[in-house]
Amino acid sequence: MWHLSGTMDIVTTDADIAELTLEEKASLTSGVNFWYTKPIGRLGVPSIMLTDGPHGLRKQRDGADHLGIGDSVPATCFPPAVALGSSWDVALIERVGAALGAEAALEHVAVVLGPGINIKRSPLCGRNFEYLSEDPVVSGVLGAALVAGIQSRGVGASVKHFAANNQESDRMRVSADIDPRPLREIYLRGFQRVVEDAQPWTVMCAYNRINGVYASQDAWLLTQVLRGEWGFAGVVVSDWGAVSDRIAALSAGLDLEMPGSLSDDRVVAAVRDGSLDRQCVNAAAARILRLVDRAQAGAAVTTPPAAGAHHALARESAGRSIVLLKNDDGILPLSKSRNIAVIGEFATQPRYQGGGSSMIKPTRLDNALDEIRLLATGKVVHAAGFDSATDVSAQEATRLRREAVAAADSADTAVVFLGLPARLESEGYDRDDIDLPVQQLELLAAVLEVNPNTVVVLSNGGVVALPFAAEVPAIMEGWLLGQAGGGAIADVLFGEVNPSGKLTETIPVRLADSPAYLDFPGEFSHVRYGEGLFVGYRWYDTRDMEVAFPFGHGLSYTTFEYRTATAGIDDHGDIEVRIVVTNTGAVAGREVVQAYTALPGSRIARPRRELKAFTSVALDSGESREATLTVRRKDLAYWDTRVDRWVVEDGPYTVEVAASSRDIRSSVQIDVDGDPVTIPLSRSSSIGEVLAHPVAGPILQSAMASAMAGAGEAAAIMPDGVDLSRLLDSFPIGQIGMLAAGSGAEVDPAMIDALLAAADAPDEGSTAHAPG
């Protein structure tokens, strides 16, 4: 049987894989069918299976439909990323990943297609329920935890969709046109974190184009950045059907086209006619063989989990993911003895996952009404209140609303379940708006008229507008919570679980307030990322815009006090932030502590604040504990387009320790030494740039001081009040002769050339390495 060494070294030459023919190597670079790689029977190389995740295993049964959506094997449906991300809990997410990996191993699945860590650029993206956050640090840290968990069980993860897959509209063709800084700092940064920290077995490239080039054919993306800069050693697999030109894709660094392809002969022909480098095929085949070797090395799980263990983990993680948005007058938790009206069809027919390729067939499915009744001792009545079907008559809608109002009127508390019907959000298309259905809003208004003690529980894969936020005393954001979400909702309603989830995306007041509003989803297969760096809270906070609920927000049934933060630079150049947090309430709770940085007076455009670290602290009532947050130096860096590398700017950074991006509890300043950057000078360089140069600057400064004798005449031609130094700061050095002529002086062009030559001399200046 064929067997590679299992080391991290990748085979790249014909000599190393001499046992394979060119035809066999080519065959390895595409699937044999929808889910399996091609075997090589002559050498005993088996097929391995890749199948959907990312919040549960979606393995189709033998003989099932093409996509396997209608008939997949039962698996635990954990909370999708939209919910799980709100836990901010690295250890919990790694446990979920390990459970997912275990179930995959037991089903002989080699690679789980997930997690998805694309940025939530717009709240309209139909696939936002599969993604973790609008922030790359959150996406990267939590994505790495999922990968680590999955791979701890001897199963590979496939981080997707690489990259800039931020909409479903025209997703097979659209070009995401993004400037270099936001591309690096926002849309690639999370992927870089996962690759460097967790070394996923595979990375899945996206359908879309990036600045005009298909991701599957982008050598800059797949080879220069992913492999060259980040050190990725695994397999690059296409999204299913994402390859339009297989030869170009192999040349760019794609290893495995999925699903099966009939064009292996084209690969062979391209090698033989010289249009495809043989080494590209060798390298891809070697990586596939190494992936097969890792899969065949033996999964770390052979025994099924204890009965109910994974469902219990699904319930725990769902409870940890619920975000308590509002809780006026402590209306929650509910007393179990109170009479409760449970209203809304989602209480009995839960929305627990999104539509499309990630739909899991759950091993069981809880609903909130049953779970509430199990915990309650008082009377619990239910009324559907509305019907999400599109063909409901006005008469039927009125009847349902009247029944709900009657139930609410006779109860101590009304718990109203609102949310988005499945048809409004799915893979394959984007949402039209962020509004809840009018029928649901009318129902809530009618309930509030008879019972002001109303709690709203939301079920949605993407954020929704909350026009009722001021009127409703308590709002729970339940997202899509997986198969055990019903029990988790009951746990939080009655205080069996103290909520600790926090938003990983901003909830805007209006769709029109959102950063990408004017540029989403683009036109003629192009979408311009015109908001640049200002995605999510970076946009809202920098513009001081009103939001419904800010990034990082989430309440608890207890309260937390933050003391004064301190900060220092450690031996790695990272900022270590310490702060004591105290639980000042009556019950145990968990607080997610966030660290944001800012650089007042920065020379470049920056958001008002950017999240750089977070941690969670579990505290008993009255307990205090010191939280430590590490802001990595490399995460302070911006992408300098002048030198095409990461650069840390020097200066006094402000580190804000916060409970949300709008709830800053303590701040501290710390000086950070920056990376020296020497920019090559030319005649188009400004006088300010020349003065800032370590070699040319002192020379020009001396020359300008000598020329001050003529300053009086020069000043005479300038209007009163004009700041000559600011004018000169942006004036091209090559045009300085024009200014000198105005005062009757002359500047020898040879002197300028000599100055520039001195600046560019090989022994002068230095260029720092990239941070980290």
Side-chain angles (χ1 to χ4, degrees), residues 217-462:
Q217 299 168 201
D218 194 336
W220 173 83
L221 182 72
L222 303 183
T223 298
Q224 179 180 324
V225 174
L226 179 61
R227 297 195 191 280
E229 295 181 20
W230 302 350
F232 177 64
V235 166
V236 176
V237 60
S238 74
D239 203 340
W240 268 230
V243 177
S244 60
D245 185 332
R246 189 171 172 199
I247 306 306
L250 281 167
S251 296
L254 182 81
D255 299 311
L256 177 60
E257 178 190 7
M258 291 299 287
S261 173
L262 301 176
S263 59
D264 291 346
D265 56 340
R266 289 187 57 236
V267 174
V268 173
V271 171
R272 287 179 174 158
D273 69 20
S275 58
L276 175 61
D277 189 339
R278 182 183 295 265
Q279 291 300 98
C280 292
V281 179
N282 288 349
R287 294 184 188 112
I288 299 301
L289 287 173
R290 178 168 172 262
L291 178 63
V292 172
D293 184 55
R294 298 176 86 170
Q296 292 297 109
V301 178
T302 57
T303 304
H310 284 185
H311 186 77
L313 177 58
R315 183 165 180 158
E316 178 188 355
S317 55
R320 192 68 61 83
S321 302
I322 291 170
V323 181
L324 182 59
L325 296 178
K326 186 180 181 185
N327 191 25
D328 289 355
D329 301 322
I331 187 174
L332 292 176
L334 299 176
S335 168
K336 294 179 182 179
S337 62
R338 291 177 70 83
N339 296 327
I340 301 170
V342 176
I343 297 169
E345 70 173 18
F346 296 130
T348 56
Q349 303 171 50
R351 278 236 38 229
Y352 63 99
Q353 62 178 329
S357 63
S358 67
M359 287 187 67
I360 311 304
K361 183 177 182 179
T363 57
R364 56 182 282 193
L365 182 59
D366 296 344
N367 73 66
L369 179 61
D370 289 346
E371 298 298 326
I372 288 170
R373 283 176 168 157
L374 285 173
L375 292 178
T377 58
K379 182 179 180 181
V380 177
V381 298
H382 174 252
F386 60 87
D387 188 330
S388 292
T390 58
D391 58 353
V392 179
S393 68
Q395 183 177 359
E396 176 66 5
T398 300
R399 183 187 68 79
L400 291 172
R401 186 162 58 248
R402 285 175 177 169
E403 288 180 355
V405 169
D409 191 31
S410 63
D412 297 319
T413 305
V415 179
V416 182
F417 285 74
L418 306 178
L420 295 177
R423 68 177 184 278
L424 294 183
E425 50 183 2
S426 171
E427 177 184 352
Y429 54 86
D430 291 320
R431 295 162 62 191
D432 296 324
D433 54 52
I434 61 170
D435 299 327
L436 288 167
V438 172
Q439 184 184 6
Q440 295 185 28
L441 296 177
E442 291 175 346
L443 166 68
L444 178 61
V447 168
L448 284 169
E449 285 185 6
V450 300
N451 194 334
N453 295 321
T454 294
V455 177
V456 168
V457 179
L458 297 169
S459 298
N460 46 292

Side-chain angles (χ1 to χ4, degrees), residues 15-144:
D16 292 321
I17 52 173
E19 292 181 67
L20 275 70
T21 66
L22 175 59
E23 289 77 6
E24 288 169 337
K25 295 171 192 172
S27 75
L28 288 172
T29 65
S30 71
V32 68
N33 55 30
F34 209 76
W35 300 115
Y36 286 87
T37 62
K38 287 193 177 85
I40 301 178
R42 183 176 67 85
L43 295 173
V45 178
S47 290
I48 59 171
M49 185 180 194
L50 301 84
T51 198
D52 280 320
H55 58 273
L57 185 67
R58 192 181 72 79
K59 177 188 176 182
Q60 75 172 49
R61 294 183 187 275
D62 292 339
D65 63 278
H66 179 57
L67 292 177
I69 292 176
D71 189 13
S72 55
V73 300
T76 307
C77 181
F78 293 99
V82 63
L84 202 57
S86 294
S87 75
W88 299 66
D89 192 325
V90 175
L92 176 69
I93 288 174
E94 187 167 341
R95 287 169 56 207
V96 170
L100 174 54
E103 294 191 16
L106 289 167
E107 288 289 343
H108 309 291
V109 169
V111 176
V112 173
L113 303 178
I117 63 165
N118 291 102
I119 294 297
K120 299 185 183 188
R121 175 182 178 240
S122 167
L124 294 181
C125 177
R127 212 167 181 177
N128 273 354
F129 61 84
E130 281 193 45
Y131 301 143
L132 290 160
S133 180
E134 66 188 21
D135 180 84
V137 170
V138 175
S139 297
V141 171
L142 301 186

Side-chain angles (χ1 to χ4, degrees), residues 600-624:
S602 172
R603 297 184 295 274
I604 61 170
R606 290 179 182 266
R608 181 173 183 175
R609 62 179 57 90
E610 296 182 280
L611 182 82
K612 296 301 180 185
F614 60 89
T615 190
S616 60
V617 187
L619 299 168
D620 289 330
S621 174
E623 183 182 5
S624 297

Side-chain angles (χ1 to χ4, degrees), residues 375-616:
L375 292 178
T377 58
K379 182 179 180 181
V380 177
V381 298
H382 174 252
F386 60 87
D387 188 330
S388 292
T390 58
D391 58 353
V392 179
S393 68
Q395 183 177 359
E396 176 66 5
T398 300
R399 183 187 68 79
L400 291 172
R401 186 162 58 248
R402 285 175 177 169
E403 288 180 355
V405 169
D409 191 31
S410 63
D412 297 319
T413 305
V415 179
V416 182
F417 285 74
L418 306 178
L420 295 177
R423 68 177 184 278
L424 294 183
E425 50 183 2
S426 171
E427 177 184 352
Y429 54 86
D430 291 320
R431 295 162 62 191
D432 296 324
D433 54 52
I434 61 170
D435 299 327
L436 288 167
V438 172
Q439 184 184 6
Q440 295 185 28
L441 296 177
E442 291 175 346
L443 166 68
L444 178 61
V447 168
L448 284 169
E449 285 185 6
V450 300
N451 194 334
N453 295 321
T454 294
V455 177
V456 168
V457 179
L458 297 169
S459 298
N460 46 292
V463 297
V464 293
L466 303 174
F468 50 80
E471 286 75 39
V472 176
I475 305 174
M476 280 174 44
E477 177 55 89
W479 303 119
L480 307 179
L481 291 173
Q483 68 180 52
I489 289 170
D491 288 340
V492 173
L493 284 172
F494 290 116
E496 297 292 306
V497 169
N498 188 351
S500 59
K502 298 207 174 194
L503 296 175
T504 60
E505 57 188 303
T506 308
I507 302 180
V509 174
R510 308 177 305 155
L511 175 62
D513 295 336
S514 59
Y517 179 69
L518 296 177
D519 293 307
F520 185 96
E523 56 195 19
F524 308 127
S525 295
H526 281 268
V527 54
R528 174 68 185 158
Y529 284 44
E531 68 281 1
L533 297 168
F534 298 92
V535 178
Y537 69 90
R538 289 168 167 82
W539 168 269
Y540 299 107
D541 289 2
T542 303
R543 293 169 60 88
D544 281 328
M545 294 182 69
E546 180 186 0
V547 297
F549 294 99
F551 177 86
H553 170 76
L555 302 178
S556 169
Y557 295 152
T558 190
T559 53
F560 299 97
E561 178 184 89
Y562 291 57
R563 297 184 191 170
T564 302
T566 61
I569 305 292
D570 68 14
D571 294 340
H572 304 289
D574 301 331
I575 301 175
E576 188 175 88
V577 184
R578 295 180 179 274
I579 190 166
V580 173
V581 180
T582 301
N583 181 344
T584 54
V587 296
R590 173 179 169 272
E591 175 72 337
V592 177
V593 183
Q594 304 152 48
Y596 298 82
T597 64
L599 181 56
S602 172
R603 297 184 295 274
I604 61 170
R606 290 179 182 266
R608 181 173 183 175
R609 62 179 57 90
E610 296 182 280
L611 182 82
K612 296 301 180 185
F614 60 89
T615 190
S616 60

